[in-house]
Amino acid sequence: TVTTGGATIMTLPALQPRLLQAQSAGSAGSSAAAAGSGAGTSDPSRPGLSQQQRASQKKAQVRAFPRAKKLEKLGVFSACKANDTCKCNGWKNPNPPTATRMDLQQQAASLSEPCRSCGHALADHVSHLENVSEDEINRLLGMVVDVENLFMSVHKEEDTDTKQVYFYLFKLLRKCILQMSQPVVEGSLGSPPFEKPNIEQGVLNFVQYKFSHLAPKERQTMFELSKMFLLCLNYWKLETPTQYRQRTQKDDGTAYKVDYTRWLCYCHVPQSNDSLPRYETTQVFGRSLLKSIFTVTRRQLLEKFRVEKDKLLPEKRTLILTHFPKFLSMLEEEIYGENSPIWEADFIMPASDGSQLGHQTVISPAAVSGSPALAKGLSTEPSHLFYLTNVTVCSGEKRKLPEALTLEDAKRIRVMGDIPMELVNEVMMTITDPAAMLGPETNLLTPNAARDETARLEERRGIIEFHVIGNSLSQKSNKKILMWLVGLQNVFSHQLPRMPKEYITRLVFDPKHKTLALIKDGRVIGGICFRMFPTQGFTEIVFCAVTSNEQVKGYGTHLMNHLKEYHIKHNILYFLTYADEYAIGYFKKQGFSKDIKVPKSRYLGYIKDYEGATLMECELNPRIPYTELSHIIKRQKEIIKKLIERKQSQIRKVYPGLTCFKEGVRQIPVESIPGIRETGWKPSNKDKGKEVKDPDVLYNMLKNLLAQIKTHPDAWPFMEPVKKSEAPDYYEIIRFPIDLKTMTERLKNRYYVTKKLFIADLQRIITNCREYNPPDSEYCKCANTLEKFFYFKLKDGGLIEK
Amino acid sequence: MSADTKIAELLTELHQLIKQTQEERSRSEHNLLNIQKTHERMQTENKTSPYYRTKLRGLYTTAKADAEAECSILRHALDKIAEIKSLLEERRIAAKMAGVYSDSDPPRKTMRRGVLMTLLQQSAMTLPLWIGKPGESPPPLCGATPANSDYVAKQGDKVAARVKAMDGDEQWILAEVVSYNHSTNKYEVDDIDEEGKERHTLSRRRIIPLPQWKANPETDPEALFSKDQLVLALYPQTTCFYRALIHTPPHRPQDDYSVLFEDTSYADGYSPPLNVAQSIRGRLQREQEEMTRRRRTKRRSGSRGGC
């Protein structure tokens, strides 16, 4: 009856029965791991049978009934059809059997037997089943058994949340029997899979990621452990939301409750209730569920193995007792670590051959992912600055490079047609040439100096310092820290006059909160108070202020940059904050946005919702050395300026300006600007792959296509420009008129150098039409048909993806 | 002659003057040494003979003449510096006018606030120190010495100007004089803070000219505000003046005042002592007492959070 992969069962002969028993054991109070058995219609008299086995036994029994008996059984759950007014939704036996005879094959009630509740005969309740196939009857009977079991479960369950779900499923199945339909769990739960990649994929990735360098035999061991872990999870009974809240000390476990409900409906209940479609926990849930349950599950698992170690096969015993704890600890790091690659949708498995061995162990992932420390170290050496430029330039795109990336690799990954390194070095020499410096007046800033330039200089000279401090209850804080905390409390309460001082004090001195303090002359002049939620992957910024007479010096920016680097070090890559109206501008400058990417479930209940304040988020990029960023960008600008100057001195030619725009052309391809190719400019190769390279090929394709569109019966409204005499206000409403005649001319003039331009004009015809005309007008109908037609043609011609 | 070449010339002259000062010093060194030796000899002989008297008189006369010569060169050098500064100022005003009145140019780029603050600090730091001749009392607008009642601030001068803010509150801001209309007795001033980009037309009594010289605490202590005097002072890192009490006056020419700003958010009604430069502060007059004390440009970045 276990549907998990056979391989697992073979590798775990000893464990398997135990797992089953743990899952089945309502009586297994001895098993800590089983965590009770809520759904259990546990039957103490028959401890050997699982709930699932009992259910299927019962079903077999019912299905073996004679037809009349089956109908009686179904009649109990079928609406009375005697007349339209009868509201009775189930036949009730006027002679209820006594409890002891419940399971006995008793005589079927006669079809003429009246219902105890509505008085109509049983026949009236089951009339709809007359011509129903035996298979369907059996299916319905299965549901009946499941409904009865669920009824018991609802009764026995003590946990409110679980009880509610059982009751919901009970009602759902009843309805399905009534309507002879398939049960579908509806509502806001969503449908499986709930997260991708799923737990199974993540754990398999983990094995690949961490152990692929091991010898085959050891690798196999790890693989077995992962399979065992997954199997355990699939049969694990999750803690109830109430237990979860108690354990994690969180006021609100909404996210967990949703997952728990999903688990009940899709994974747990269907194990013994086959009317409902069943999914494996590890296949439909992903990292977020694992995050919520991992700590407690690990503890229970290890405890269970410890208790039952004598029952394990000897060879499995060593495997489990020696390797499993370590395995789980390593897995834990990947579950809670923010940077773990195993959860990335496009996780690329490193080659699992032996040649990878040394490589992976030598280079730690932190060192190659462009950590700030490394980047800073590099920036002192000019030849490496370009490495930094590469890193920061490509940081916008999602990280796809495998972790094992050496510095050399990073250098090699350079854009095609890039400037030769020698040239860059040469330019770098002229920039870093100390003789070229303007003098000692570094504090005479240019109007476009970076905001944090002064602060950075002051930090370098030791004028200001940054420290992350916090109160502690477990150990005695030193006096200096306590003085600084008082200083922070003063700065915050003076700068945030609308915050009650007591509230500020409470948070600044709360051991869960930390504050990044800005110190000048031994005194606190500013700081950012924050609270980290490592399990949720974000940090809340609570207070942020700089004392008034030290403002406008770039301290706020530098503070935030330090905070960002601190968080990258601690693997938290999201900041959330409620910004009041004065603070929104500041946070925007620091890279915060009102567009929140952290799923609501991750922060809901963790941070308070403030009226009149705006939730803002900042996503950190672990590759950016934030405190040096503006400096790096400044240097990059200098380099590029120098490169441009060089190029300009090489190519000296002045072209007459473009006149086509005055003649009404709205857009021309960049490559057609005279002289631009001579500068070495090349069209971006972003859409080169799909783009038809030969202009003549494209021209002919488009010409062909346009001819087909023009001959389409619904193209007539769009053949020529709209006449002002026919629609006087047309050109006031439609800003960019276009029509098929104009398009033909444009094609002839070789305007459509990319398919994009052509498709845009086609689409414009349609949108213009819809904008000017009412939707049910004949014109719009034509536009609809024509749009469908040309998209079909575009796909057909391979101009857009199918 | 363009301002640039003029400045270059003046710089060369200044350079020459500084060299001359050194020459002058080396020249008088010998005489000073002589005076010292004569005194030592008189000490050892323990008597003041007419010979020594005559000799010393002669030596001191020479030394005084030397010192005066050196002093005059230094004053000359100071004049050159003042001339360079006024040329730079003229050029700045011209550039500003051009920026304001020409439509063809792109709009003036707003300076980053931090940069504006640095510039203001620097201009405060480089305000010239008043060097009077012996016995000469400090002129108006030196340190705490007020301007004469008929004084009219020149174009480009920094003043404290009392303006109505958007919300109707009155406040003293740092502004720059654009023009003065003698018939209406009104000033046109620009808010120094370019964020405002506002021009105000204000009557004379709403304008306080700011000091043009620093007073030297060693020679002209009477030209400084004294402890506990109520003044208007530019709040650090802002372009607004607020009422403050002098906490400590400067001791040396380059020192700042330490002042206590009125601030109700502190228990005793005053902020902790803050340093403000000598220049950026005006004398508080009686009719200014009702001034509101709303802080302009004070950025209160704050964020609230849960617990």
Side-chain angles (χ1 to χ4, degrees):
Chain A
T1 49
V2 179
T3 53
T4 337
T8 319
I9 294 170
M10 282 196 295
T11 57
L12 301 165
L15 185 68
Q16 187 61 21
R18 300 246 57 83
L19 281 173
L20 280 177
Q21 199 167 334
Q23 181 269 330
S24 69
S27 57
S30 62
S31 156
S37 152
T41 50
S42 61
D43 188 346
S45 63
R46 279 183 288 171
L49 287 180
S50 73
Q51 198 180 325
Q52 187 182 355
Q53 286 166 315
R54 282 199 307 276
S56 43
Q57 264 189 7
K58 182 82 192 287
K59 278 171 195 170
Q61 204 180 6
V62 171
R63 281 167 185 157
F65 282 167
R67 175 111 182 162
K69 182 81 183 148
K70 283 181 181 175
L71 287 180
E72 180 197 335
K73 192 112 187 137
L74 284 172
V76 176
F77 295 92
S78 302
C80 176
K81 289 154 204 73
N83 53 49
D84 288 346
T85 53
C86 187
K87 295 274 183 287
C88 174
N89 65 357
W91 181 77
K92 297 203 175 42
N93 196 336
N95 320 304
T98 56
T100 47
R101 291 161 60 209
M102 203 49 174
D103 286 334
L104 297 177
Q105 292 251 11
Q106 56 180 159
Q107 207 57 44
S110 135
L111 278 174
S112 57
E113 199 86 54
C115 171
R116 185 155 51 88
S117 120
C118 68
H120 299 117
L122 174 59
D124 290 328
H125 286 84
V126 296
S127 57
H128 64 296
L129 297 170
E130 253 168 54
N131 297 316
V132 169
S133 72
E134 200 64 23
D135 282 350
E136 177 64 7
I137 295 279
N138 285 344
R139 184 183 76 87
L140 293 174
L141 281 170
M143 281 205 272
V144 168
V145 173
D146 287 336
V147 162
E148 286 171 349
N149 283 341
L150 275 170
F151 182 73
M152 298 298 285
S153 302
V154 174
H155 256 268
K156 285 187 182 157
E157 184 56 53
E158 279 167 5
D159 176 71
T160 342
D161 296 314
T162 318
K163 203 182 183 94
Q164 270 178 6
V165 178
Y166 287 157
F167 188 58
Y168 165 78
L169 291 173
F170 166 77
K171 284 194 298 184
L172 175 74
L173 285 189
R174 270 214 71 163
K175 201 179 92 194
C176 289
I177 300 169
L178 268 177
Q179 301 172 346
M180 292 174 62
S181 58
Q182 295 287 343
V184 178
V185 177
E186 282 163 347
S188 53
L189 282 184
S191 54
F194 304 109
E195 192 176 354
K196 273 182 179 170
N198 59 30
I199 296 175
E200 188 174 305
Q201 191 57 51
V203 171
L204 293 179
N205 287 348
F206 162 74
V207 174
Q208 287 284 351
Y209 175 54
K210 285 284 178 196
F211 307 115
S212 58
H213 63 283
L214 296 177
K217 199 169 159 236
E218 290 159 328
R219 212 156 62 204
Q220 184 60 31
T221 309
M222 293 304 166
F223 182 69
E224 279 175 25
L225 285 174
S226 72
K227 278 288 187 191
M228 186 171 79
F229 175 71
L230 290 171
L231 183 67
C232 291
L233 274 188
N234 280 335
Y235 287 94
W236 216 252
K237 186 147 167 42
L238 302 192
E239 57 183 343
T240 63
T242 317
Q243 288 167 329
Y244 175 80
R245 277 197 298 275
Q246 277 167 359
R247 176 173 63 84
T248 56
Q249 295 293 307
K250 283 165 191 158
D251 304 336
D252 180 23
T254 319
Y256 181 75
K257 193 170 163 181
V258 170
D259 275 344
Y260 179 77
T261 311
R262 286 169 170 169
W263 172 78
L264 276 178
C265 294
Y266 289 101
C267 307
H268 182 64
V269 175
Q271 277 179 10
S272 57
N273 185 326
D274 59 10
S275 310
L276 293 165
R278 179 182 167 194
Y279 298 87
E280 298 290 359
T281 311
T282 55
Q283 282 176 353
V284 293
F285 289 99
R287 188 188 193 175
S288 47
L289 179 76
L290 200 51
K291 268 187 177 173
S292 332
I293 62 167
F294 186 77
T295 30
V296 69
T297 310
R298 173 172 73 165
R299 197 179 62 229
Q300 292 170 348
L301 255 176
L302 293 177
E303 172 66 14
K304 179 175 158 60
F305 284 130
R306 199 184 57 75
V307 169
E308 305 193 354
K309 61 174 183 281
D310 299 337
K311 296 174 192 164
L312 298 170
L313 291 179
E315 67 268 26
K316 297 294 163 196
R317 198 181 304 161
T318 35
L319 172 74
I320 288 167
L321 295 180
T322 58
H323 294 297
F324 206 41
K326 174 85 178 123
F327 176 90
L328 292 177
S329 299
M330 289 176 80
L331 181 58
E332 183 182 29
E333 279 177 32
E334 300 304 319
I335 292 171
Y336 295 108
E338 198 48 49
N339 272 339
S340 173
I342 68 167
W343 303 103
E344 283 176 18
D346 51 1
F347 175 81
I348 302 163
M349 309 222 175
S352 53
D353 58 25
S355 64
Q356 281 265 327
L357 242 161
H359 208 59
Q360 277 216 326
T361 43
V362 174
I363 296 147
S364 77
V368 292
S369 60
S371 73
L374 178 80
K376 262 188 205 157
L378 285 173
S379 64
T380 53
E381 229 182 302
S383 68
H384 285 146
L385 195 67
F386 200 74
Y387 162 61
L388 272 187
T389 62
N390 265 334
V391 169
T392 36
V393 165
C394 67
S395 61
E397 54 191 77
K398 200 170 182 316
R399 189 177 64 190
K400 281 186 186 136
L401 306 172
E403 286 292 318
L405 179 73
T406 63
L407 198 58
E408 289 305 309
D409 288 334
K411 274 192 196 162
R412 238 180 284 128
I413 303 172
R414 298 179 62 221
V415 190
M416 291 298 288
D418 202 352
I419 294 125
M421 207 57 211
E422 302 77 57
L423 181 59
V424 175
N425 282 336
E426 212 182 304
V427 169
M428 205 96 73
M429 290 303 282
T430 66
I431 288 172
T432 49
D433 180 12
M437 273 176 26
L438 293 169
E441 287 280 288
T442 37
N443 54 344
L444 244 183
L445 295 166
T446 52
N448 48 10
R451 198 174 280 120
D452 56 345
E453 186 68 30
T454 329
R456 193 164 39 226
L457 279 171
E458 288 191 15
E459 188 189 7
R460 208 167 292 157
R461 292 179 189 150
I463 300 169
I464 52 172
E465 293 169 35
F466 294 84
H467 299 277
V468 174
I469 57 170
N471 197 7
S472 167
L473 298 180
S474 54
Q475 63 200 71
K476 211 166 172 305
S477 303
N478 81 40
K479 200 171 168 217
K480 189 168 82 176
I481 301 286
L482 287 176
M483 287 306 288
W484 282 350
L485 286 172
V486 173
L488 283 165
Q489 177 221 319
N490 281 331
V491 169
F492 289 142
S493 51
H494 277 118
Q495 297 311 121
L496 312 167
R498 288 196 286 177
M499 282 279 158
K501 196 162 181 165
E502 295 73 19
Y503 180 68
I504 292 172
T505 313
R506 187 151 62 90
L507 296 192
V508 168
F509 283 91
D510 169 41
K512 286 189 187 119
H513 285 73
K514 287 199 177 90
T515 308
L516 173 64
L518 168 59
I519 312 289
K520 189 175 191 174
D521 298 329
R523 278 178 41 244
V524 175
I525 60 162
I528 301 178
C529 179
F530 60 97
R531 174 155 178 198
M532 297 165 100
F533 293 100
T535 56
Q536 305 307 108
F538 76 89
T539 276
E540 181 186 14
I541 290 173
V542 183
F543 306 119
C544 169
V546 172
T547 196
S548 26
N549 56 311
E550 297 285 359
Q551 289 183 359
V552 220
K553 291 185 178 176
Y555 292 155
T557 301
H558 209 44
L559 264 172
M560 189 56 81
N561 286 338
H562 271 288
L563 193 70
K564 287 175 178 173
E565 288 187 351
Y566 178 83
H567 277 81
I568 288 169
K569 233 185 283 165
H570 287 81
N571 268 328
I572 292 181
L573 299 182
Y574 287 94
F575 286 163
L576 287 175
T577 190
Y578 271 102
D580 66 22
E581 53 177 328
Y582 303 109
I584 290 175
Y586 164 77
F587 283 116
K588 270 191 183 160
K589 285 183 210 156
Q590 308 310 325
F592 283 68
S593 133
K594 292 176 188 173
D595 178 26
I596 311 296
K597 288 192 192 134
V598 176
K600 202 166 185 177
S601 57
R602 253 168 64 191
Y603 63 83
L604 201 78
Y606 289 88
I607 55 178
K608 272 188 198 160
D609 201 354
Y610 279 93
E611 238 175 78
T614 314
L615 185 62
M616 295 184 85
E617 179 195 271
C618 180
E619 184 181 355
L620 307 184
N621 186 322
R623 293 179 169 211
I624 298 180
Y626 282 97
T627 53
E628 292 296 327
L629 183 60
S630 65
H631 180 64
I632 291 169
I633 290 174
K634 194 176 139 212
R635 299 297 292 275
Q636 288 177 343
K637 278 186 185 163
E638 283 169 11
I639 293 170
I640 288 174
K641 225 173 98 188
K642 285 272 184 228
L643 287 170
I644 292 172
E645 278 168 17
R646 273 168 177 258
K647 203 82 191 177
Q648 276 172 341
S649 62
Q650 281 165 15
I651 315 160
R652 285 193 172 275
K653 189 165 180 195
V654 178
Y655 291 88
L658 294 168
T659 53
C660 56
F661 296 110
K662 282 184 186 150
E663 288 153 13
V665 178
R666 289 213 313 114
Q667 191 182 18
I668 61 162
V670 177
E671 54 265 42
S672 69
I673 300 169
I676 198 140
R677 277 184 188 279
E678 285 75 3
T679 65
W681 182 88
K682 287 187 184 69
S684 83
N685 39 8
K686 220 199 279 171
D687 31 32
K688 240 185 183 166
K690 284 175 232 158
E691 197 63 69
V692 182
K693 287 204 183 74
D694 188 344
D696 287 327
V697 174
L698 181 68
Y699 174 81
N700 286 325
M701 279 176 87
L702 297 179
K703 192 179 161 193
N704 196 358
L705 187 59
L706 195 59
Q708 289 184 47
I709 292 168
K710 278 156 79 179
T711 50
H712 190 272
D714 282 331
W716 59 269
F718 316 113
M719 293 305 277
E720 285 190 18
V722 175
K723 289 190 186 69
K724 222 174 169 178
S725 54
E726 286 165 12
D729 61 343
Y730 186 83
Y731 291 93
E732 282 160 35
I733 292 167
I734 300 302
R735 280 182 62 215
F736 303 115
I738 181 76
D739 59 274
L740 293 171
K741 190 177 165 201
T742 313
M743 281 187 73
T744 316
E745 276 162 21
R746 285 188 173 180
L747 182 68
K748 222 179 278 169
N749 296 333
R750 300 279 174 146
Y751 165 83
Y752 297 118
V753 284
T754 64
K755 61 182 186 187
K756 215 172 111 192
L757 287 172
F758 182 81
I759 297 171
D761 271 356
L762 271 181
Q763 188 57 51
R764 171 80 63 193
I765 292 183
I766 306 299
T767 42
N768 282 351
C769 175
R770 288 187 183 141
E771 196 176 337
Y772 187 78
N773 302 296
D776 50 351
S777 65
E778 194 175 352
Y779 295 116
C780 274
K781 280 175 195 158
C782 286
N784 292 342
T785 348
L786 197 67
E787 186 185 33
K788 265 187 215 135
F789 174 73
F790 74 66
Y791 271 112
F792 172 75
K793 283 287 168 194
L794 285 171
K795 277 182 201 164
D796 210 31
L799 284 169
I800 54 175
E801 280 179 19
K802 294 188 186 189
Chain B
M1 200 193 313
S2 82
D4 273 344
T5 45
K6 189 82 201 287
I7 288 170
E9 250 171 47
L10 285 167
L11 279 171
T12 326
E13 285 172 38
L14 184 62
H15 189 70
Q16 287 300 325
L17 285 169
I18 291 165
K19 274 189 179 167
Q20 278 180 33
T21 318
Q22 190 52 44
E23 280 164 22
E24 198 68 31
R25 276 191 182 183
S26 321
R27 209 168 51 82
S28 57
E29 192 78 1
H30 169 72
N31 195 42
L32 290 173
L33 213 70
N34 226 337
I35 294 177
Q36 200 186 345
K37 276 182 187 160
T38 312
H39 275 288
E40 277 166 14
R41 224 169 295 157
M42 277 166 65
Q43 215 103 49
T44 47
E45 289 179 19
N46 211 7
K47 60 173 183 185
T48 321
S49 67
Y51 165 74
Y52 282 131
R53 240 180 249 172
T54 325
K55 189 182 177 186
L56 270 179
R57 190 174 290 136
L59 286 173
Y60 272 115
T61 317
T62 321
K64 197 176 163 227
D66 285 350
E68 270 162 7
E70 190 186 331
C71 197
S72 113
I73 297 173
L74 283 173
R75 279 182 209 283
H76 202 48
L78 283 174
D79 289 345
K80 293 285 169 209
I81 293 173
E83 214 174 322
I84 294 170
K85 281 191 87 162
S86 79
L87 276 172
L88 286 172
E89 180 71 2
E90 269 170 37
R91 195 166 63 171
R92 188 184 66 83
I93 294 169
K96 194 181 145 193
M97 299 306 257
V100 172
Y101 294 117
S102 71
D103 291 334
S104 57
D105 282 348
R108 278 187 298 166
K109 269 189 195 151
T110 317
M111 219 181 281
R112 222 191 257 297
R113 290 195 59 80
V115 177
L116 176 68
M117 293 307 158
T118 320
L119 287 181
L120 289 177
Q121 267 179 358
Q122 264 163 358
S123 89
M125 248 162 54
T126 55
L127 191 76
L129 184 72
W130 166 256
I131 310 283
K133 298 216 170 70
E136 195 181 2
S137 58
L141 292 179
C142 168
T145 323
N148 291 330
S149 56
D150 57 348
Y151 176 81
V152 172
K154 294 188 300 294
Q155 182 189 25
D157 278 358
K158 304 269 192 305
V159 294
R162 189 189 188 189
V163 298
K164 256 201 175 67
M166 306 265 232
D167 50 9
D169 282 349
E170 303 241 307
Q171 55 185 181
W172 286 95
I173 63 163
L174 184 60
E176 199 176 293
V177 173
V178 179
S179 65
Y180 179 72
N181 187 330
H182 284 275
S183 51
T184 57
N185 281 342
K186 281 193 171 173
Y187 279 103
E188 257 199 312
V189 298
D190 269 347
D191 190 339
I192 198 82
D193 195 338
E194 286 192 287
E195 265 182 358
K197 282 203 181 72
E198 277 175 276
R199 181 156 294 182
H200 306 270
T201 309
L202 301 167
S203 70
R204 283 178 62 87
R205 45 178 203 89
R206 286 176 168 267
I207 297 287
I208 308 174
L210 293 181
Q212 291 180 339
W213 294 278
K214 281 194 264 194
N216 187 343
E218 285 154 355
T219 56
D220 307 303
E222 73 281 5
L224 290 168
F225 290 109
S226 48
K227 188 173 165 61
D228 292 337
Q229 229 176 325
L230 191 58
V231 296
L232 279 175
L234 201 61
Y235 197 92
Q237 298 300 106
T238 74
T239 57
C240 277
F241 289 87
Y242 299 101
R243 286 149 58 105
L245 284 183
I246 301 290
H247 184 243
T248 346
H251 294 297
R252 281 164 305 158
Q254 298 302 332
D255 283 354
D256 289 340
Y257 279 102
S258 161
V259 302
L260 311 167
F261 282 96
E262 288 190 355
D263 190 336
T264 45
S265 65
Y266 289 90
D268 59 359
Y270 292 98
S271 74
L274 293 174
N275 283 358
V276 294
Q278 259 211 56
S279 64
I280 42 184
R281 183 215 65 255
R283 178 187 285 276
L284 185 66
Q285 290 158 17
R286 194 152 297 280
E287 74 261 345
Q288 291 148 9
E289 299 245 341
E290 77 281 13
M291 186 197 79
T292 56
R293 294 186 310 97
R294 253 181 57 84
R295 295 251 156 97
R296 189 172 70 129
T297 68
K298 263 179 76 176
R299 184 173 50 143
R300 298 213 145 136
S301 21
S303 161
R304 312 120 175 250
C307 43

